[in-house]
């Protein structure tokens, strides 16, 4: 598994001063599940990844390590998909 996704989630979550428990509550998942993702033991589904990104106010591609915020997807996120989450 790719632990970078979890590391990126943790890093961004902490930079936003959001506890793991609070983010888990926001995405309607258990704290243990989010912990497994952040520790690289589980990979989130696409829906969970989008939900996490939405609640961290970032583009999902940033969680995958993309630093380019000029792509079409990043410019449209979260307005375009907020109703899908």
């Amino acid at each position: 598994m790719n632990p970078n996704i979890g590391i990126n989630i943790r890093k961004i979550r902490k930079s936003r001063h959001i506890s793991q428990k609070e983010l888990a509550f926001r995405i309607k998942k258990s704290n243990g599940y989010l912990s497994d993702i952040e520790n690289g033991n589980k990979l989130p589904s696409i829906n969970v990844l989008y939900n996490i990104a939405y609640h961290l106010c970032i583009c999902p591609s940033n969680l995958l390590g993309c630093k380019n915020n000029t792509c079409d997807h990043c410019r449209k996120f979260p307005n375009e998909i907020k109703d899908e989450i």
Side-chain angles (χ1 to χ4, degrees), residues 5-10 13-14 18-44 48-49 51-53 55-56 63:
I5 294 171
I7 291 168
N8 293 340
I9 291 169
R10 177 181 291 129
R13 175 182 59 76
K14 286 185 173 189
I18 300 171
S19 71
Q20 193 176 69
K21 184 177 179 178
E22 176 63 24
L23 182 58
F25 175 79
R26 290 181 188 182
I27 65 169
K28 297 182 173 102
K29 298 292 180 187
S30 72
N31 193 42
Y33 177 76
L34 183 56
S35 176
D36 282 343
I37 292 172
E38 288 188 354
N39 289 320
N41 298 323
K42 289 186 179 181
L43 287 174
V48 170
L49 185 71
N51 202 2
I52 290 170
H55 288 283
L56 293 176
L63 296 178

Side-chain angles (χ1 to χ4, degrees), residues 2 4-5 8 44 46 49 58-67:
N2 183 350
N4 291 334
I5 294 171
N8 293 340
I46 295 297
L49 185 71
I58 60 163
C59 179
S61 62
N62 294 134
L63 296 178
L64 302 174
C66 176
K67 302 293 185 212

